[in-house]
Amino acid sequence: MARCWQYYRAETVNNMKNLIFIILVSNFLTLGVSAEKLTLDDCMRYAVEHSTTVGKQRLSADDNQANYNEAVASLFPSLNANVGASTNFGRGIDPATNSYTNVTTFSNSYGVSLQMALFDGLRGINTMRAMKVARKKGLVDTQIAQDEVAMQTLSAYMDVVYYTQAVEIAKEQLEASRKTLEFTQRQFDLGLKTSTDVAEIESQEANYDYLLITEENNLALAYIKLREVMNYPQDQELQIVTDIDLEILPTATSEKALVDYALANNPRVAASRHFTEQQRLNLKRAKGSFLPSLYLSGGYNTSYYLDFDNKGAYDSFGTQFRNNRGGYIQLSLSIPIFNGLSARSSSRRAKNAYNMAQLEQETVERAVESEVSQTWQEMQGYSKQYVQGDKKVRAAQLAYDGTEKKFENGLVSALDLHTAANTLLQAKSDKLRAYLQYIIKARMVDYYNGLPLIK
């Protein structure tokens, strides 16, 4: 018994060890996954996949597909079947003698009918064509929605990168200011610096401390905005890669080549052209209302009748079903003469919609042209600003180092050192902003040149 109890205790301990090991490994893997940093493309991909705007646009595109399927199916003949049954009691008319009777009867009917438009002013064909164009536009609109979400994510991501680097710059400046304060305090204790110098350096340290707090708050707000754009839960930690290498120049060779390609292939331009074509086909459909319509229809039916008071006087259900069979074929021509100006008003509205679509297409093309040219020029400008900013940072760093040495030797005042430090801080900030803005504009230039935003 004791030996069994020892064996049970050993098995229990081993099971507990295994359970603890599994929990630790699971926690470790969970931490590893949560700590994984997302790249810019990861963030844009996540944003597109989880965007409610993109989801709504996909549903709208599916509606366009359903409308197109319906328009195609409307070109085929319509086939309907009908079954009816009725019972009469009391005073009524005998269908056989057409005289009044006072009996209880039962009758039912069966029929199949078919109708087909031989010519309807091409309204069905033009409706199908318009829905086909609308389907294409829906797919392009979905791509536009995805691109817009990716662009918003790109901007928000770069804000996080900027404020992350800005926090590091503020920390470096604060640390340098604290070292200067410690040196100045020692010099003051030795009688080599005045209390004014100490107060000036203390003020400088306080300013950089305040700047660090401000940048940290801006960083937190930037993360909140990035989560919002990505539709990422605000209560979950989001870590991104903030070390971004400077990208090579875009593939576009010139501004004119970039603009020409964008006007021919940009999704916004394509969507506007699809919409214009859709309105043109709607106008043709509306004009079809002025033309005659020719329809072919046919049917096949049979019936059954029974008098409950005299069942023997009527044939059986099968016999009546065969004997009462009949069919018809019919051609009908409808010529519109006056319909309350409905056709004329519909055609007028369709023509106005087509003209407005043309004006909107021109507006979109000019806007895209201006946007592409502006992005190209901004990319060139930020490229030059980054090069000059790098030179400016090196010069400001040398100036600050020299001023710091002079301050330590008592050759310049604390105000001069503060001015040199602010100049260095501004130079670093300008270089960082130009660096990140160049990356954004370079990505946009590649996008206008046909490359996807998400690589």
Side-chain angles (χ1 to χ4, degrees), residues 130 133-138 140-141 267-283 350 352-361 364:
V133 175
R135 181 185 62 173
K136 294 180 180 179
K137 181 179 180 297
V140 176
D141 287 338
R268 287 167 54 193
V269 176
S272 67
R273 291 172 180 170
H274 284 322
F275 185 69
T276 301
E277 177 64 13
Q278 180 183 356
Q279 296 305 318
R280 186 186 71 84
L281 293 171
N282 287 338
L283 175 58
N352 291 336
Y354 175 52
N355 291 334
M356 285 190 291
Q358 288 179 309
L359 295 175
E360 180 62 24
Q361 177 183 333
V364 171

Side-chain angles (χ1 to χ4, degrees), residues 51-337:
S51 171
T52 56
T53 302
V54 175
K56 292 177 182 178
Q57 188 55 52
R58 286 172 178 164
L59 294 176
S60 179
D62 188 67
D63 286 342
N64 292 332
Q65 179 65 49
N67 292 337
Y68 172 71
N69 294 340
E70 181 181 3
V72 172
S74 67
L75 300 177
F76 292 90
S78 60
L79 180 65
N80 298 286
N82 60 81
V83 177
S86 66
T87 180
N88 296 321
F89 48 88
R91 187 176 176 83
I93 296 178
D94 188 343
T97 62
N98 201 28
S99 60
Y100 286 102
T101 61
N102 191 2
V103 296
T104 301
T105 63
F106 171 79
S107 64
N108 68 339
S109 61
Y110 307 88
V112 177
S113 62
L114 180 144
Q115 187 178 39
M116 177 180 179
L118 299 179
F119 180 78
D120 62 349
L122 301 180
R123 284 174 292 177
I125 294 292
N126 288 322
T127 298
M128 183 269 292
R129 291 174 178 173
M131 292 301 102
K132 184 177 181 180
V133 175
R135 181 185 62 173
K136 294 180 180 179
K137 181 179 180 297
L139 297 177
V140 176
D141 287 338
T142 302
Q143 184 62 50
I144 293 174
Q146 294 175 350
D147 293 342
E148 288 179 350
V149 171
M151 291 177 192
Q152 294 172 4
T153 306
L154 172 62
S155 178
Y157 185 97
M158 289 304 178
D159 284 342
V160 173
V161 174
Y162 172 79
Y163 286 116
T164 300
Q165 299 296 329
V167 167
E168 295 302 320
I169 293 174
K171 287 181 179 179
E172 292 175 1
Q173 294 298 113
L174 178 60
E175 183 64 25
S177 178
R178 285 175 177 172
K179 291 180 180 179
T180 304
L181 178 60
E182 293 175 359
F183 172 80
T184 306
Q185 187 67 50
R186 290 196 301 270
Q187 293 293 92
F188 173 74
D189 294 339
L190 297 174
L192 301 177
K193 295 291 183 182
T194 65
S195 59
T196 303
D197 294 329
V198 176
E200 184 66 31
I201 299 301
E202 287 179 345
S203 175
Q204 179 179 345
E205 181 196 18
N207 287 336
Y208 288 135
D209 197 7
Y210 177 81
L211 175 63
L212 176 59
I213 294 174
T214 302
E215 299 294 8
E216 288 176 341
N217 182 60
N218 290 335
L219 176 59
L221 294 176
Y223 264 112
I224 292 175
K225 181 62 177 179
L226 179 59
R227 291 191 187 95
E228 177 186 352
V229 172
M230 293 175 58
N231 201 20
Y232 194 89
Q234 291 289 348
D235 58 347
Q236 293 185 14
E237 183 181 8
L238 175 62
Q239 295 185 8
I240 66 172
V241 177
T242 56
D243 297 329
I244 301 179
D245 295 331
L246 186 62
E247 300 186 357
I248 61 174
L249 288 175
T251 55
T253 56
S254 67
E255 179 182 350
K256 184 180 184 307
L258 182 67
V259 171
D260 291 342
Y261 186 89
L263 289 177
N265 301 278
N266 186 264
R268 287 167 54 193
V269 176
S272 67
R273 291 172 180 170
H274 284 322
F275 185 69
T276 301
E277 177 64 13
Q278 180 183 356
Q279 296 305 318
R280 186 186 71 84
L281 293 171
N282 287 338
L283 175 58
K284 294 184 67 175
R285 177 181 61 183
K287 289 181 177 180
S289 301
F290 295 101
L291 300 177
S293 300
L294 179 64
Y295 291 91
L296 172 66
S297 58
Y300 186 85
N301 53 68
T302 186
S303 62
Y304 170 72
Y305 181 80
L306 176 65
D307 183 352
F308 287 103
D309 296 329
N310 190 13
K311 296 181 179 180
Y314 298 91
D315 295 331
S316 65
F317 176 83
T319 301
Q320 290 194 45
F321 191 88
R322 291 188 301 270
N323 295 338
N324 293 339
R325 290 178 298 179
Y328 69 94
I329 297 177
Q330 176 181 340
L331 276 175
S332 62
L333 178 67
S334 174
I335 303 175
I337 298 177

